[in-house]
Amino acid sequence: MDAASYALGDLRGLLPPRLRDSHKGDFGHVLVIGGNHGMAGAARLAAEAAARLGAGLVSVATRDSHAHALGTGRPELMVHAAETDAALERLLDHATVIVLGPGLGCDAWARRVFDASLRSPVPQVVDADALNLLALTPFRVASSTMLTPHPGEAARLLGTDAATVQADRGGAARLLRERFGGTWILKGAGALVACEGGLHRCVHGHPAMASGGMGDVLSGILGALLAQGMGLCEAARLGVALHAAAGERAAVRDGGRGLLALDLLPYARSLLEETCPC
């Protein structure tokens, strides 16, 4: 079966408006886990995207050496050093959604927080190095897990190469879901969502989005939508479309080359408001 193409306009009203007496506790608590040595920016990108797209609360679990700078740079975030199992467990206990992987690395600390995080029962977005750790010891994930590989990460998970994945993107997305469970987003031009509702292809996107950090921003957007109560398939489709359409709009209005990941957030926010008014 071919993928069903969709545009952002097809998803109007998918996220319902907020009640007038809403408070931050109604819109979830996203915990971003990552930002290993030298990679604090990835965790910042994901966390800021989660906050900007409507999560009620956003925390970051990271290395001690990065905690102060991340908290100072974006004071709305709650940033914690998670060097011990006990420190991480306290953070996991308060999260309603986990975004695992931005800047995570693959060292002993990364492996430890990866194992602890995937034992949590809350919905999770698994990205970046968390996918590479999953490829090292493959197992089926919980049904409440969303995984977001680019073609290279998908190839490692499937034991093949990126060219093979790209030659049959739909087949690769279906095989990932069949082999590992969960909901899958295969990133790249014409991003694919493989979920319980079938295979969906987003028509948005722009070559200006070929720059570092775009995937981290996507993972934060997805975490925010899950935190606001959306189901996995709906959040995946809406999050992918918001991200890709924001890239289009930013490139058209501001120019293509030199587009940075955080440049997408003002456009993603306005597009969400146009599509699903608050």
Side-chain angles (χ1 to χ4, degrees):
M1 182 176 65
D2 292 335
S5 295
Y6 75 98
L8 182 59
D10 299 325
L11 308 179
R12 294 190 185 281
L14 200 59
L15 182 64
R18 296 182 172 189
L19 300 176
R20 291 190 62 82
D21 60 351
S22 296
H23 59 83
K24 63 188 176 184
D26 294 329
F27 305 113
H29 188 164
V30 175
L31 174 63
V32 175
I33 302 175
N36 208 331
H37 296 308
M39 296 182 284
R44 159 76 184 272
L45 290 168
E48 185 161 343
R52 290 289 191 183
L53 269 293
L57 295 165
V58 182
S59 292
V60 181
T62 189
R63 303 306 300 260
D64 179 70
S65 58
H66 294 321
H68 177 73
L70 285 175
T72 303
R74 183 80 271 163
E76 295 88 350
L77 306 177
M78 296 174 286
V79 185
H80 307 268
E83 297 291 349
T84 67
D85 293 345
L88 180 63
E89 289 296 335
R90 285 193 294 271
L91 298 172
L92 290 171
D93 287 344
H94 290 92
T96 58
V97 175
I98 294 168
V99 175
L100 174 64
L104 184 65
C106 294
D107 63 4
W109 176 82
R111 181 85 242 185
R112 191 168 73 250
V113 299
F114 171 85
D115 291 340
S117 301
L118 288 183
R119 290 195 296 269
S120 173
V122 304
Q124 304 200 27
V125 179
V126 178
D127 185 33
D129 281 323
L131 295 166
N132 294 325
L133 289 172
L134 178 61
L136 293 174
T137 53
F139 58 88
R140 287 187 67 82
V141 300
S143 60
S144 57
T145 306
M146 187 185 299
L147 306 98
T148 63
H150 59 54
E153 292 159 343
R156 285 188 282 278
L157 287 158
L158 294 173
T160 183
D161 55 66
T164 300
V165 170
Q166 290 291 76
D168 183 10
R169 286 173 55 81
R174 291 188 183 94
L175 184 56
L176 286 164
R177 176 167 162 77
E178 177 183 316
R179 186 171 297 181
F180 294 95
T183 292
W184 289 81
I185 296 169
L186 181 57
K187 296 184 290 195
L192 293 172
V193 175
C195 63
E196 189 175 6
L199 187 66
H200 309 269
R201 178 183 178 275
C202 179
V203 301
H204 298 292
H206 195 282
M209 297 174 72
S211 66
M214 291 288 176
D216 302 314
V217 165
L218 174 61
S219 68
I221 291 173
L222 296 167
L225 297 177
L226 291 172
Q228 292 170 87
M230 296 190 74
L232 265 78
C233 193
E234 292 77 12
R237 293 171 64 218
L238 180 58
V240 165
L242 286 169
H243 182 259
E248 285 181 345
R249 186 170 288 187
V252 169
R253 292 189 177 179
D254 303 329
R257 290 180 177 84
L259 182 68
L260 299 180
L262 280 182
D263 295 339
L264 268 60
L265 293 184
Y267 295 102
R269 286 184 66 203
S270 62
L271 286 165
L272 179 57
E273 189 65 18
E274 291 171 19
T275 307
C276 305
C278 182

